[in-house]
Amino acid sequence: MTEIVRAQGLTKRYGDFTALSNVDFSVEPGAIVGLIGPNGAGKTTTLKAVLGLTNFEGELTVMGQDPRHGRHKIMENVCFVADVGILPRWMRVHQLIDYVEEVHPRFSREKAESLLAGTEIKTTSKIRQLSRGMVTQLHLAVVMAIDVDLLVLDEPTLGLDILYRKSFYDHLLNDYFDHETSIIISTHQVEEVESLLTHLLFINDGKIVLDLPMDALSEHYTDLLVAPGEVEAAMKLGPIYVRDLLGKKRMMFEGVDKLALSGLGEIQVPSVTDLFVAKMQRGES
Amino acid sequence: MNQLERKKSPAVMFRLLKRECQEHRGTFIYVPLGITAFLLAVMVFVLLSIHFGADTLHINVTTDRSDGVGVTEKSVVLGGYWEERLRAFAAMSPSKRESELARVQVAASSPLFLSLWLVIAFYLLGSLYDDRKDRSILFWKSMPVSDAMTVASKLLAGLIVAPLIYFLCSALLHLCLLTASSLSALSYDFEVSGTLWQSANVLGNWLTMAGFHLLTVVWCLPFYAWLLFTSAWARSVPLAIALAGPIAVGFIDYFLIPGNVIGAWIVEHSSPLGYREELGRDLMVASARMISVELIVSLAIAAGLIGGAVYLRRRADEI
């Protein structure tokens, strides 16, 4: 099967401001892609383009279709959860479930109800009466009951406390992910998602600064805890990121032979968080 | 990708209309029920007053005489006035009775239909704006429902579904009015109670009123379409834009174009047809008189505005 999402030269301008500049990326079936960048980097704009919620220049296809035309057809196979507060506040929970059941061909009422049974959400409650965490739980329960090919999560845990954030991603992995559905998660909180991802997309100032499968991370990037006396030799190999750690130097290298590095200290696979910081700092310098 | 059967459009449309009724149950359901209950309460109160305090209660009656004598005002005893009206009614010819009752039916419903006009206007004005304001548009757009379908559901809900509920309330009001009047009339010594029911062409009057509503929808479609378009277009205060547009056009028209054609057109196509005397009360005659080049141009403008609303909705985002 071909890519679920394919973007080439994706560009979005708001007047003089360029929110996205010539962005290329693709999402393979079954991938969990982290679209990671600081606030204002262009994450939401990218996702809105994918969902057919905004106009753009360049080429973009979602399951072979241009999202600017026929959004409603694409939405039979795509689900979307944004940060809290997009569920209609006037609705009651059972009205929401009835609605989705009657307009969405892939919704399973039983599944939604069994997911909700595990929460404190009552079906007679009005959405405006639920806490932020409960609204997100509800939205996720509805979305998880829809059998789609692509799930788009735009900062889904923004504004939630740590308990809800943790349970959100636990549910996502345990109850939802089936290796067939692709997921795009945008976030600026890297540490929350790094264990889930199969693919990394870092975005900054409207440009993709890293496009890397997770399993290629260890191949391309190496973290080195430099042995005393080897700092100079290590610096010659051109680290992309250097920081001090308990009196020692820690350096990150891109595309440098691990054999050459192993003689200079202790080597490790860098964390996504460190890689993110390294890439963002590089962008600024 | 497993293919599933798509939901059928009529079923989805029915669901969207239900959604509108759920969201707007205040103005679509409770307001007409409240008005009906209030009118019924007033009616019961008046009839009880007639029967239990007939000699003591006085009212001021203003009569606009059709024979050219002009407006007269007098203070009468309520019970006596009621009896006088019933007697006059009993003495009327059958056709006069029928038109008299039709007039009463229309008059009794007028509070309902005046509020309906306001409800439709404000409903349409918010229909494609409110969900952008509260960001729930992101949820609605994540459902496999086309934008054209969404816009159509808003028009149908405002112009057909809401009026239907008001009509049902108005029908209930008429039936109660007739029942209560004929019960009250039983206590008088002349036969009028049966005459009331025989003379009332209740169903016919309902159909005429519904027919006139549909004619009004067609006639005022540019007005409704403008509200819908504004709702899709405005980034803030749609009411201000909805008013400013026609006022600006009317202003330019008043000073620059001889004859004030556009201004008059705007006013004509914004007011319900029921108040246009020249159309008469006969549905067929009225529809025939309505057909004109002007109407075709108006419908073309309305179609343009509705198409514009769909286009804007397609690109719409939270605000």
Side-chain angles (χ1 to χ4, degrees):
Chain A
M1 193 172 154
T2 53
E3 297 103 331
I4 295 286
V5 181
R6 184 181 169 80
Q8 269 188 315
L10 183 63
T11 300
K12 173 71 188 177
R13 294 188 182 89
Y14 295 101
D16 289 341
F17 174 69
T18 305
L20 286 179
S21 159
N22 241 342
V23 165
D24 298 340
F25 68 92
S26 61
V27 176
E28 303 292 327
I32 305 185
V33 178
L35 182 63
I36 300 163
N39 290 328
K43 302 187 294 288
T44 298
T45 307
T46 307
L47 297 184
K48 280 189 173 162
V50 168
L51 295 163
L53 295 174
T54 187
N55 224 339
F56 54 81
E57 296 160 46
E59 265 179 56
L60 175 64
T61 55
V62 179
M63 276 160 298
Q65 295 198 53
D66 184 334
R68 287 172 292 192
H69 310 289
R71 170 193 56 79
H72 63 287
K73 287 198 201 90
I74 289 176
M75 286 304 168
E76 287 178 358
N77 291 304
V78 179
C79 264
F80 171 57
V81 178
D83 59 298
V84 291
I86 73 159
L87 289 183
R89 291 163 52 77
W90 56 267
M91 264 191 159
R92 290 185 189 279
V93 174
H94 66 88
Q95 290 175 333
L96 178 78
I97 291 173
D98 289 346
Y99 177 85
V100 180
E101 183 183 29
E102 285 167 50
V103 303
H104 210 301
R106 293 173 174 226
F107 178 74
S108 153
R109 188 185 188 95
E110 297 74 45
K111 195 164 178 196
E113 281 172 348
S114 78
L115 285 165
L116 281 178
T119 69
E120 288 174 17
I121 301 166
K122 294 193 194 74
T123 55
T124 50
S125 299
K126 266 197 179 172
I127 290 170
R128 78 166 84 247
Q129 294 163 340
L130 302 177
S131 70
R132 291 163 77 96
M134 285 161 110
V135 174
T136 309
Q137 265 185 331
L138 171 63
H139 201 169
L140 191 67
V142 168
V143 159
M144 289 198 299
I146 302 176
D147 172 30
V148 290
D149 297 314
L150 174 65
L151 174 63
V152 176
L153 305 169
D154 184 15
E155 300 270 9
T157 56
L158 197 71
L160 295 188
D161 65 42
I162 184 88
L163 291 175
Y164 274 120
R165 294 206 316 242
K166 182 95 177 61
S167 87
F168 180 89
Y169 287 113
D170 284 349
H171 273 297
L172 189 68
L173 264 195
N174 298 329
D175 302 339
Y176 192 82
F177 188 58
D178 56 5
H179 301 281
E180 284 171 16
T181 307
S182 309
I183 304 178
I184 308 179
I185 306 171
S186 92
T187 183
H188 64 283
Q189 287 164 316
V190 193
E191 65 287 352
E192 247 175 39
V193 294
E194 68 173 283
S195 58
L196 319 174
L197 304 177
T198 65
H199 198 101
L200 293 173
L201 275 179
F202 287 177
I203 185 167
N204 199 10
D205 288 334
K207 294 186 187 77
I208 298 284
V209 293
L210 179 82
D211 181 349
L212 186 78
M214 274 302 265
D215 49 21
L217 179 67
S218 62
E219 195 183 310
H220 286 80
Y221 294 90
T222 314
D223 224 17
L224 174 72
L225 189 61
V226 187
E230 302 288 358
V231 172
E232 212 166 298
M235 284 303 282
K236 278 187 184 154
L237 294 171
I240 58 167
Y241 179 42
V242 182
R243 66 259 190 232
D244 293 308
L245 190 79
L246 301 172
K248 288 183 174 176
K249 288 274 183 209
R250 216 179 156 104
M251 298 179 184
M252 193 186 294
F253 295 89
E254 179 176 1
V256 178
D257 184 18
K258 285 192 179 3
L259 268 178
L261 290 171
S262 57
L264 301 174
E266 192 183 322
I267 61 168
Q268 281 175 345
V269 178
S271 71
V272 175
T273 310
D274 286 338
L275 182 60
F276 177 70
V277 176
K279 284 289 176 183
M280 292 305 137
Q281 285 193 343
R282 250 186 140 197
E284 280 162 19
S285 62
Chain B
M1 212 184 298
N2 46 337
Q3 279 303 327
L4 272 180
E5 202 183 326
R6 287 224 173 98
K7 297 278 179 186
K8 300 264 186 299
S9 300
V12 172
M13 180 53 85
F14 181 76
R15 179 59 241 190
L16 295 182
L17 294 177
K18 197 164 147 194
R19 189 215 91 102
E20 296 304 317
C21 291
Q22 285 171 342
E23 181 174 4
H24 298 278
R25 66 185 187 291
T27 48
F28 280 18
I29 299 169
Y30 298 155
V31 167
L33 282 178
I35 294 174
T36 309
F38 175 74
L39 293 175
L40 285 177
V42 168
M43 184 186 78
V44 168
F45 177 75
V46 168
L47 284 176
L48 287 178
S49 309
I50 286 170
H51 288 279
F52 295 103
D55 299 331
T56 52
L57 287 167
H58 287 69
I59 52 162
N60 284 321
V61 179
T62 308
T63 323
D64 190 357
R65 298 280 296 268
S66 54
D67 54 11
V69 176
V71 178
T72 59
E73 198 169 323
K74 56 178 177 178
S75 178
V76 295
V77 176
L78 180 62
Y81 177 70
W82 175 239
E83 188 179 342
E84 184 190 310
R85 294 304 303 253
L86 286 175
R87 264 184 210 289
F89 182 80
M92 283 174 188
S93 69
S95 67
K96 181 86 169 94
R97 274 188 214 140
E98 200 179 309
S99 68
E100 180 74 3
L101 279 179
R103 205 177 55 77
V104 171
Q105 266 184 284
V106 171
S109 305
S110 55
L112 276 171
F113 292 120
L114 280 177
S115 50
L116 174 63
W117 188 86
L118 280 176
V119 163
I120 296 178
F122 279 97
Y123 164 75
L124 288 176
L125 207 48
S127 61
L128 298 172
Y129 174 79
D130 294 346
D131 61 0
R132 289 189 291 138
K133 193 81 192 160
D134 72 9
R135 303 184 69 228
S136 62
I137 185 172
L138 294 176
F139 171 74
W140 301 118
K141 283 208 163 201
S142 75
M143 290 288 125
V145 174
S146 73
D147 298 299
M149 191 91 139
T150 304
V151 172
S153 79
K154 308 279 177 183
L155 264 186
L156 278 179
L159 301 182
I160 305 295
V161 178
L164 190 67
I165 301 167
Y166 278 72
F167 272 92
L168 290 175
C169 287
S170 143
L172 178 73
L173 183 68
H174 295 159
L175 291 180
C176 293
L177 194 66
L178 266 177
T179 310
S181 310
S182 53
L183 281 177
S184 159
L186 278 177
S187 65
Y188 295 97
D189 57 356
F190 52 95
E191 165 55 41
V192 68
S193 182
T195 324
L196 268 171
W197 281 100
Q198 281 164 20
S199 312
N201 182 9
V202 182
L203 198 63
N205 289 336
W206 289 343
L207 290 177
T208 308
M209 288 166 86
F212 265 93
H213 172 73
L214 289 179
L215 287 188
T216 302
V217 165
V218 173
W219 184 253
C220 294
L221 205 55
F223 168 67
Y224 297 134
W226 166 250
L227 295 178
L228 192 73
F229 179 81
T230 314
S231 183
W233 185 37
R235 291 192 65 82
S236 63
V237 215
L239 178 64
I241 293 172
L243 290 174
I247 289 173
V249 171
F251 205 68
I252 295 167
D253 175 53
Y254 185 78
F255 288 106
L256 299 180
I257 306 167
N260 192 19
V261 184
I262 302 173
W265 179 83
I266 291 175
V267 172
E268 281 215 348
H269 288 268
S270 311
S271 5
L273 270 182
Y275 303 95
R276 290 167 60 89
E277 292 296 326
E278 74 272 20
L279 287 172
R281 303 252 31 109
D282 185 285
L283 201 54
M284 288 303 152
V285 176
S287 359
R289 283 186 193 161
M290 228 175 72
I291 296 167
S292 58
V293 177
E294 183 196 338
L295 183 70
I296 294 166
V297 172
S298 306
L299 290 180
I301 291 172
L305 287 169
I306 294 168
V310 174
Y311 175 81
L312 289 170
R313 181 72 180 181
R314 228 169 250 162
R315 294 282 151 268
D317 192 357
E318 63 196 286
I319 40 175

